[in-house]
Amino acid sequence: MTEHPPAWTYLFCAFGHFAYQTLDAIDGKQARRTSSSSPLGQLFDHGCDSLGSLFIALPIANCLQLGNSFLTLFFLYSIQIPFFLAQWEEYHTHIIRTHIGNFGVTEGQWTVIIVLVASGILPPGTLNTPLASLLPESLGAALIARDWNVPFYMPLMMLSNIATFGVALLNIVQVIRIAKHKMEAFLQLVPLSAMVALAFVWQRTSAFAAHALIGLITLGLLFTYLTSQIIVCGMCHMPYSAFQPVLLPLPFIVANSFASTLFQTKGPLVDEGFVMVAYGVFVGAVYSCFVVGTIQQITSYLQINCFTLKKQAKKQ
């Protein structure tokens, strides 16, 4: 994520994202038109959104040349945390909030598309141009004097984060106002909070730096698993557990990376690369089993197919 790929890859990602957001907007209309609306459709809709958040964040991090940095993880969670909180609010209030004022999910997706297209058309590194060089000389000098000469993308990222975290704040306020079991509601945020805190510690290790892509995909799948669970629990009126066994290995993995400091050893107790890959495979397997099992249960109970429509009886 520190080197620029061929320009066409950015344009292809932009096209893919445009197709994704367009299909995401019309799937509900198609389901109603064919009388095939079901909880399974909601799971596919929001579940794919949850998984897609990772593949939105990674190309943008590459566009901005963020590499294995705090900003990459921060940008990933600036998408994922508000998404989880929106599902959490719906779980407790049966209302899903996706915008603040005139800025919402659609505007955010179009911002991503514009950044990808710009990265495919403009010379490499354009979005990293220091802000001072784009402003009148007097303003540029003032920024440099105050050490505010940040890359061009930084103010845009800050504005985007203000909007997304503004929506997240509204989600929390609504749950405080409406939820009947407020203590239970906030306990449900413990798994996500623990994962995010451990992720930022893990990101600072040499193992994560050496295998950043594996680490980010693993964290993305963990988020998707937690979010998919709260979506299913909300649909089925089931309790969402604050105890998530899939997260239990994560603190030990992080501690293993700091073994030389914590336990005065010469290095990690277990090879860090092996641990990262093994945990990534484990998380992928847990998530896959959850998805397959949930689909099988819903289709069996509702007597529907997963990817095809049953023929409707002709009206007499």
Side-chain angles (χ1 to χ4, degrees):
M1 292 185 293
T2 56
E3 298 180 4
H4 285 286
W8 67 265
T9 58
Y10 291 129
L11 298 176
F12 182 76
C13 284
F15 170 76
H17 194 70
F18 171 76
Y20 153 72
Q21 70 91 29
T22 302
L23 294 171
D24 187 40
I26 65 175
D27 58 353
K29 298 181 186 295
Q30 172 68 0
R32 288 186 289 274
R33 188 182 72 84
T34 57
S35 301
S36 59
S37 297
S38 72
L40 183 61
Q42 183 180 353
L43 175 61
F44 264 89
D45 188 345
H46 297 306
C48 289
D49 289 340
S50 174
L51 183 61
S53 63
L54 173 66
F55 299 102
I56 292 171
L58 291 181
I60 295 298
N62 184 269
C63 288
L64 305 180
Q65 296 294 280
L66 300 181
N68 173 39
S69 67
F70 169 86
L71 282 177
T72 296
L73 204 55
F74 179 81
F75 180 66
L76 175 63
Y77 284 136
S78 73
I79 298 173
Q80 293 186 334
I81 292 174
F83 184 85
F84 181 90
L85 291 177
Q87 308 305 320
W88 175 68
E89 181 190 1
E90 184 181 24
Y91 176 93
H92 290 283
T93 68
H94 310 296
I95 299 170
I96 187 165
R97 186 184 308 276
T98 60
H99 65 90
I100 180 170
N102 292 324
F103 191 91
V105 173
T106 302
E107 289 73 23
Q109 290 174 335
W110 274 103
T111 302
V112 169
I113 293 170
I114 290 170
V115 170
L116 289 168
V117 170
S119 298
I121 295 175
L122 300 175
T126 299
L127 296 177
N128 295 75
T129 303
L131 191 59
S133 63
L134 303 175
L135 297 173
E137 187 174 348
S138 57
L139 289 176
L143 288 179
I144 294 173
R146 290 172 173 78
D147 290 328
W148 292 351
N149 191 21
V150 295
F152 169 70
Y153 68 79
M154 189 63 73
L156 302 178
M157 182 182 285
M158 290 174 63
L159 289 173
S160 174
N161 287 335
I162 289 171
T164 55
F165 283 110
V167 174
L169 182 60
L170 287 176
N171 297 142
I172 295 171
V173 169
Q174 286 299 101
V175 170
I176 292 173
R177 286 182 59 248
I178 299 174
K180 294 180 180 179
H181 307 288
K182 295 179 175 56
M183 181 60 70
E184 177 188 338
F186 282 93
L187 282 175
Q188 291 170 344
L189 298 181
V190 170
L192 180 70
S193 302
M195 183 190 74
V196 171
L198 287 168
F200 278 108
V201 176
W202 195 22
Q203 182 271 326
R204 298 176 63 85
T205 65
S206 58
F208 199 96
H211 308 280
L213 192 58
I214 295 173
L216 289 169
I217 291 174
T218 300
L219 293 172
L221 288 177
L222 274 173
F223 165 81
T224 302
Y225 177 62
L226 296 180
T227 307
S228 298
Q229 281 190 80
I230 202 167
I231 292 169
V232 172
C233 291
M235 291 189 307
C236 302
H237 304 287
M238 296 165 52
Y240 174 76
S241 176
F243 176 65
Q244 296 291 335
V246 72
L247 293 176
L248 292 179
L250 190 55
F252 296 101
I253 293 170
V254 175
N256 180 61
S257 296
F258 290 96
S260 58
T261 302
L262 296 174
F263 309 114
Q264 303 299 313
T265 62
K266 294 183 179 180
L269 300 177
V270 185
D271 180 73
E272 293 174 285
F274 169 77
V275 169
M276 286 189 71
V277 173
Y279 187 53
V281 171
F282 169 69
V283 172
V286 170
Y287 174 61
S288 299
C289 290
F290 170 79
V291 170
V292 172
T294 302
I295 291 173
Q296 288 177 339
Q297 289 182 50
I298 293 176
T299 53
S300 176
Y301 182 80
L302 297 178
Q303 293 296 299
I304 59 176
N305 297 332
C306 182
F307 294 111
T308 59
L309 297 177
K310 287 188 174 181
K311 292 184 178 180
Q312 297 180 353
K314 292 183 179 180
K315 294 182 180 180
Q316 299 295 331

